[in-house]
Amino acid sequence: MEGRLTMSYRELEDGFLVTLALIVSSQLLVILISLISNQFRRQRKLSITNQPPVESVIDGNQITIYTYGMDFYHALLRDITQAKDIICIESFIWKDDAVGQQIKELLAKKAREGVTVYVVFDAFANLVVPRPFKQFSPDIHLYRYRAWQRFLDLFDPRRLARDHRKLAIIDRTISYVGGFNIGELYGRKWRDTHVRIEGSSSHNLFAAFADFWNAQAHKLPKLKTERASLSPYIRPYVNNPQRILFPIRSMYIEAIDLAKEHIFLTTPYFVPDRVVLSALIDAADRGVQVSLLVPERSNHLLADWLARTYFTDCLKRGIRIYLYQGAMIHAKTATVDGKWTTIGTANLDRLSLFGNHEINVEFFSEEVATHMEGMFEYDLKACRELSLDEWNRRPMTQKLGELVLSPLWPFL
């Protein structure tokens, strides 16, 4: 009897392992087929049209919003050129192309002139960038961020975070934050959003850079933090995985829960956790117009597949989904009721909301919200709306692929 029970447990264990192997192999097969099919997808016909920068004034701060990368880079280069004291640049990706080289060379020039220059980029995200390009002038304080420093860090979830922030501060009075990485691809062929802040609120963004630098770059000169008084109109939110603090997610949930009229969301990767998804569905249920704008085809095929696992629930509950055509839209923005806006680096996915170092800024300004809603409406010209009827008629193979891949959402 005891032997038969032992055998049954062994058989149960074997059956579990076989089932697990089948699930994993199915996921890998779907991913492989998707990657192969992606190679045969038609080349996008780019449809980026330049929206000019828009300006506002909030609480004494000059606000400029950029949706075309070359406009943003031009403004950044101008401000770096005019810097007198300190420059801080943080970028998730820094390409070794004409744009990347121009910014790198200008930073070296300013460092030789006596301006203190701090540079941070994510080492893992830039693995494919040639090593010589990642060698900066010795006059520049350079930190190549690595998520883990030692083997044991691999077993600490707090140490697996990437530095996904895109931040620049010039002389503590001018700051930039948003979705643009550094590179010509992003400047000319992607649709993204960045904001420039000139005024006292930039001190708080400088403090966010200094806090990160001082906590991570242990062997390099420390930065003295200098914060402005907290503004009720402009407020940065900073995810800090080491301290297990993820206020950007809470910011989104609170804004969604308070919405009464409409919510406009733009994100390149839509893989929300259940609480965020429930907040959006609850808003739609109480009559709020919820509009979600995502790329029809992003630069991450697996993220596209996972995003589609949420479309059925969204469409059934009245959330309108718009698919951006012809180019990659990488903006991470939202507006609520024409009063509240956020622009930043965090996507609506698990990695951004619960994993990576991120920074978003929220604005309480009807003028900024009006500008952002105008940009959203403009982007809709390059979109097609996905209907529930069309979605229900998608191929069975796609539905099976979504089912197989849906357990992978915690990893994106």
Side-chain angles (χ1 to χ4, degrees):
M1 178 71 173
E2 187 175 329
R4 287 197 298 272
L5 284 175
T6 303
M7 181 62 71
S8 66
Y9 285 135
R10 287 178 179 173
E11 291 173 348
L12 183 63
E13 183 182 48
D14 290 343
F16 172 77
L17 292 175
V18 169
T19 302
L20 181 62
L22 287 172
I23 293 174
V24 172
S25 60
S26 298
Q27 291 172 338
L28 291 174
L29 179 62
V30 171
I31 293 172
L32 179 62
I33 293 172
S34 300
L35 290 174
I36 293 173
S37 65
N38 190 46
Q39 299 301 314
F40 295 96
R41 294 198 297 184
R42 290 183 178 181
Q43 182 69 25
R44 293 173 182 163
K45 183 178 180 181
L46 298 174
S47 60
I48 293 292
T49 53
N50 302 350
Q51 297 185 64
V54 295
E55 297 183 350
S56 306
V57 176
I58 306 176
D59 197 26
N61 294 270
Q62 182 73 34
I63 308 300
T64 308
I65 301 170
Y66 300 92
T67 59
Y68 180 59
M70 300 311 294
D71 289 338
F72 156 58
Y73 297 139
H74 177 77
L76 179 63
L77 287 165
R78 178 200 63 213
D79 288 333
I80 291 174
T81 300
Q82 296 174 359
K84 304 297 183 184
D85 178 29
I86 187 171
I87 301 168
C88 304
I89 302 286
E90 185 175 354
S91 186
F92 180 57
I93 297 173
W94 196 318
K95 292 292 188 182
D96 62 323
D97 55 21
V99 169
Q101 188 67 43
Q102 186 178 12
I103 294 175
K104 179 183 174 182
E105 290 176 357
L106 182 57
L107 291 174
K109 178 177 181 292
K110 298 301 293 187
R112 290 193 301 269
E113 293 174 358
V115 176
T116 306
V117 179
Y118 292 82
V119 169
V120 180
F121 62 79
D122 187 277
F124 182 79
N126 292 279
L127 280 177
V128 299
V129 176
R131 181 172 294 182
F133 181 80
K134 293 183 283 190
Q135 304 300 319
F136 279 63
S137 165
D139 299 319
I140 292 175
H141 301 300
L142 173 66
Y143 178 59
R144 302 175 183 87
Y145 172 82
R146 291 177 175 82
W148 54 87
Q149 306 293 330
R150 53 182 183 162
F151 178 73
L152 291 179
D153 288 344
L154 295 172
F155 301 97
D156 184 352
R158 297 173 301 171
R159 298 290 177 183
L160 300 180
R162 293 176 295 175
D163 179 16
H164 193 244
R165 309 192 320 177
K166 298 93 176 172
L167 184 63
I169 301 99
I170 292 89
D171 291 343
R172 299 180 179 85
T173 59
I174 296 173
S175 56
Y176 292 85
V177 64
F180 281 110
N181 290 292
I182 296 176
E184 193 162 3
L185 167 69
Y186 315 115
R188 297 190 184 279
K189 298 183 178 180
W190 284 23
R191 161 68 180 88
D192 214 325
T193 302
H194 232 77
V195 62
R196 178 184 185 271
I197 303 170
E198 182 174 3
S200 61
S201 289
S202 289
H203 290 289
N204 292 330
L205 288 165
F206 173 75
F209 180 92
D211 289 345
F212 179 86
W213 180 275
N214 293 340
Q216 302 293 334
H218 302 295
K219 298 180 180 180
L220 295 169
K222 299 296 183 182
L223 276 164
K224 292 183 179 180
T225 58
E226 181 183 346
R227 290 170 169 82
S229 58
L230 189 63
S231 168
Y233 306 102
I234 304 173
R235 184 175 180 182
Y237 286 76
V238 179
N239 279 2
N240 188 329
Q242 271 79 51
R243 298 174 65 184
I244 319 179
L245 293 174
F246 302 99
I248 296 174
R249 176 176 177 271
S250 299
M251 174 198 71
Y252 265 107
I253 293 172
E254 181 179 13
I256 293 168
D257 285 345
L258 292 174
K260 295 181 179 179
E261 298 173 8
H262 57 265
I263 301 169
F264 296 159
L265 288 167
T266 301
T267 182
Y269 318 114
F270 182 66
V271 192
D273 62 74
R274 283 295 162 187
V275 176
V276 174
L277 182 64
S278 295
L280 290 170
I281 290 175
D282 289 346
D285 285 347
R286 64 176 184 268
V288 176
Q289 176 193 340
V290 182
S291 299
L292 172 66
L293 198 160
V294 296
E296 182 162 42
R297 295 177 181 176
S298 79
N299 62 322
H300 290 299
L301 186 63
L302 182 56
D304 291 347
W305 275 82
L306 288 176
R308 283 150 177 71
T309 66
Y310 299 92
F311 283 2
T312 301
D313 288 341
C314 289
L315 291 169
K316 282 184 175 179
R317 305 298 281 272
I319 295 175
R320 302 181 72 173
I321 298 175
Y322 297 93
L323 304 177
Y324 196 83
Q325 307 288 295
M328 172 62 183
I329 187 164
H330 192 248
K332 305 96 164 47
T333 63
T335 60
V336 173
D337 290 350
K339 300 176 181 178
W340 177 92
T341 299
T342 186
I343 301 171
T345 70
N347 304 309
L348 282 179
D349 61 19
R350 206 270 326 161
L351 283 179
S352 282
L353 299 182
F354 263 131
N356 292 334
H357 292 279
E358 306 279 1
I359 183 165
N360 270 50
V361 179
E362 73 171 359
F363 301 91
F364 286 95
S365 164
E366 292 186 7
E367 186 177 1
V368 168
T370 298
H371 288 322
M372 291 298 296
E373 290 183 357
M375 292 176 180
F376 189 91
E377 296 288 344
Y378 188 89
D379 286 332
L380 291 184
K381 298 177 182 178
C383 295
R384 69 178 186 87
E385 184 172 2
L386 180 66
S387 68
L388 179 60
D389 180 62
E390 176 191 347
W391 185 242
N392 287 335
R393 289 187 282 105
R394 70 194 186 282
M396 182 58 66
T397 52
Q398 186 175 338
K399 295 178 181 179
L400 290 174
E402 293 160 9
L403 180 64
V404 170
L405 293 176
S406 59
L408 295 179
W409 74 266
F411 303 102
L412 289 181

